[in-house]
Amino acid sequence: MLRRSWMIAIGLLLFTTAILLAGDHKKCTMSTQDCLDHMAAQMKSSGWVGLELDRDDDSGSLTVLKVVPGSPAEAAGIQPKDVLFALNGVRITKDNDEALMKARKEWQPGQSVTYTIKRDGTDRQVTLTLAPMPADVLARYIGEHMMEHANSEMAKK
């Protein structure tokens, strides 16, 4: 089974900025400055969970690789190796990416979301309150994406 590790902070509007999309890695079509401005505005005002995940390319399932210390995910008790099975009752699969993306676009700090997680063969519900993204995390995600822009520009030369 092909697995690719990728960083995603659920609740960010990374989907709208095309940093990392479910299944396909799409190239950002904005200019570097436009992309930077867009990402900063979108990510600054969107809700943040605080997870690093691995997505199974075949099923679309998400396994927790890391829980960011001090994050809403940590406060809710999510742990590495948990499998995110559903978000607000919507199963997390490749077939539901559009519905999940639509729900995430609306996330704001202070809003509560509920994950169904699988841990040690048991399903459990975990509700957490989304937080604003910390500045250091915001800078890291934007920096990683700006490196993609730089690499893309170098490849054109």
Side-chain angles (χ1 to χ4, degrees):
M1 178 181 341
L2 264 181
R3 294 180 71 93
R4 76 181 153 94
S5 193
W6 53 289
M7 306 287 288
I8 181 173
I10 297 215
L12 303 177
L13 295 177
L14 298 178
F15 293 100
T16 60
T17 59
I19 296 174
L20 297 173
L21 291 176
D24 296 319
H25 186 79
K26 296 185 179 179
K27 299 292 180 196
C28 183
T29 58
M30 294 183 198
S31 72
T32 301
Q33 187 62 54
D34 288 345
C35 184
L36 175 62
D37 294 343
H38 178 75
M39 286 182 72
Q42 290 293 325
M43 294 171 80
K44 200 173 197 179
S45 64
S46 64
W48 177 69
V49 174
L51 295 171
E52 292 181 12
L53 304 166
D54 181 50
R55 182 178 185 104
D56 182 301
D57 287 335
D58 295 328
S59 68
S61 68
L62 299 172
T63 301
V64 177
L65 295 175
K66 179 182 176 184
V67 179
V68 177
S71 69
E74 181 184 54
I78 296 176
Q79 300 175 4
K81 299 184 182 175
D82 284 347
V83 176
L84 303 181
F85 183 74
L87 173 62
N88 292 338
V90 178
R91 281 205 54 206
I92 298 173
T93 65
K94 288 172 80 171
D95 294 336
N96 290 336
D97 278 345
E98 192 172 315
L100 293 165
M101 186 181 347
K102 182 178 177 185
R104 287 183 193 118
K105 286 180 182 179
E106 314 261 326
W107 283 8
Q108 298 292 317
Q111 181 181 349
S112 292
V113 296
T114 301
Y115 284 102
T116 302
I117 62 171
K118 290 184 181 269
R119 180 185 301 155
D120 300 325
T122 304
D123 289 0
R124 57 184 81 197
Q125 301 285 318
V126 176
T127 300
L128 57 87
T129 302
L130 300 171
M133 181 179 287
D136 60 328
V137 175
L138 177 67
R140 186 176 115 215
Y141 283 116
I142 290 175
E144 288 173 0
H145 189 68
M146 291 302 102
M147 288 301 295
E148 289 179 22
H149 272 275
N151 292 335
S152 179
E153 288 298 315
M154 288 179 63
K156 291 178 184 177
K157 294 180 179 183

